[in-house]
Amino acid sequence: DGGITQSPKYLFRKEGQNVTLSCEQNLNHDAMYWYRQDPGQGLRLIYYSQIVNDFQKGDIAEGYSVSREKKESFPLTVTSAQKNPTAFYLCASSMWRGNTGELFFGEGSRLTVL
Amino acid sequence: KNQVEQSPQSLIILEGKNCTLQCNYTVSPFSNLRWYKQDTGRGPVSLTIMTFSENTKSNGRYTATLDADTKQSSLHITASQLSDSASYICVVSLPPWAGNNRKLIWGLGTSLAVNP
């Protein structure tokens, strides 16, 4: 089945550790995105990528890093520089040109910093 | 300032009843308006996308309306089911030519609980 797969679903991290969240899609979408969701707040864009080997900062990129070496993959690293990393992280993908840009989301990864 | 406001913040209804969720936005320029359903602990799923020229769009028991003049949208759920319990999020998209790479403005969502 076509879709977006995020892993792990739950992740615990000690302060000072980096952690990488995986996102893979087989929808042949050009664009991929990482969002962060916190209680009482709307989704906030961390990074997005329109094409392979290119990505752009979103609204809250500080303390995060990404790579886009393959069209299907867009991993997110939460670094120790992120001051408040406990959150629900959502990966999404979409076609980029010639349509409405409808987003298709993965099931999310919940990161808890101990 | 570009904003999307949803009301009510939360809603409880009985199974089988209808309900309507509201979305007001101040986003300009406007490309499209989307409604997403998000079950607890899962990713959002698209229900409808409406462009400027569309007034109504249905997806099964979900019907979205859009009044681009007043910048208001509503999502009507007919004959609610227990599985409709979720957060419903309204999102407005700016057009690609607006110089912000098709930025999305997200509402905070309406939390709907359908009780038996």
Side-chain angles (χ1 to χ4, degrees), chain A residues 4 27 29 31-35 43 45 48 91-96 99-106, chain B residues 32 34-36 44-47 49 91 102 104 106:
Chain A
I4 300 179
L27 300 169
H29 283 166
M32 297 186 74
Y33 312 78
W34 275 104
Y35 285 91
L43 270 70
L45 182 63
Y48 67 98
C91 180
S93 70
S94 73
M95 295 301 292
W96 185 253
N99 76 343
T100 58
E102 179 181 0
L103 294 178
F104 293 81
F105 284 88
Chain B
N32 59 66
R34 316 163 184 206
W35 282 95
Y36 284 89
V45 174
S46 178
L47 294 176
I49 296 179
V91 190
R102 197 179 281 168
L104 299 180
W106 294 79

Side-chain angles (χ1 to χ4, degrees), chain A residues 1-109:
Chain A
D1 288 351
I4 300 179
T5 302
Q6 289 186 239
S7 64
K9 189 166 180 62
Y10 299 97
L11 187 60
F12 297 89
R13 186 194 93 175
K14 294 182 179 179
E15 283 192 21
Q17 290 181 334
N18 292 353
V19 62
T20 297
L21 307 180
S22 170
C23 180
E24 303 277 335
Q25 57 101 357
N26 59 6
L27 300 169
N28 198 32
H29 283 166
D30 307 306
M32 297 186 74
Y33 312 78
W34 275 104
Y35 285 91
R36 170 178 172 144
Q37 188 173 35
D38 296 283
Q41 298 195 42
L43 270 70
R44 292 184 290 169
L45 182 63
I46 304 173
Y47 269 99
Y48 67 98
S49 167
Q50 300 175 33
I51 57 173
V52 174
N53 293 322
D54 185 60
F55 48 83
Q56 306 295 329
K57 292 182 179 180
D59 301 317
I60 55 165
E62 185 175 353
Y64 299 98
S65 66
V66 293
S67 63
R68 187 87 186 275
E69 298 178 0
K70 299 185 301 182
K71 186 176 184 178
E72 301 80 14
S73 178
F74 192 42
L76 173 74
T77 297
V78 184
T79 75
S80 57
Q82 169 51 234
K83 299 304 180 186
N84 186 21
T86 294
F88 189 51
Y89 292 89
L90 288 161
C91 180
S93 70
S94 73
M95 295 301 292
W96 185 253
R97 299 187 184 280
N99 76 343
T100 58
E102 179 181 0
L103 294 178
F104 293 81
F105 284 88
E107 289 297 289
S109 294

Side-chain angles (χ1 to χ4, degrees), chain B residues 50-72:
Chain B
M50 288 184 293
T51 59
F52 182 88
S53 59
E54 295 175 296
N55 300 120
T56 302
K57 201 160 206 178
S58 292
N59 178 0
R61 294 180 296 103
Y62 301 100
T63 299
T65 65
L66 173 64
D67 185 334
D69 292 330
T70 62
K71 296 188 176 181
Q72 295 179 327

Side-chain angles (χ1 to χ4, degrees), chain B residues 13-90:
Chain B
I13 62 173
L14 292 176
E15 185 179 12
K17 298 296 185 182
N18 302 337
C19 67
T20 300
L21 314 180
Q22 299 290 341
C23 173
N24 297 336
Y25 61 94
T26 58
V27 179
S28 182
F30 171 91
S31 178
N32 59 66
L33 185 144
R34 316 163 184 206
W35 282 95
Y36 284 89
K37 177 187 178 187
Q38 184 177 22
D39 293 324
T40 301
R42 306 191 70 175
V45 174
S46 178
L47 294 176
T48 65
I49 296 179
M50 288 184 293
T51 59
F52 182 88
S53 59
E54 295 175 296
N55 300 120
T56 302
K57 201 160 206 178
S58 292
N59 178 0
R61 294 180 296 103
Y62 301 100
T63 299
T65 65
L66 173 64
D67 185 334
D69 292 330
T70 62
K71 296 188 176 181
Q72 295 179 327
S73 176
S74 66
L75 180 70
H76 185 74
I77 304 175
T78 303
S80 61
Q81 300 176 359
L82 298 179
S83 59
D84 292 330
S85 295
S87 179
Y88 292 84
I89 307 172
C90 177

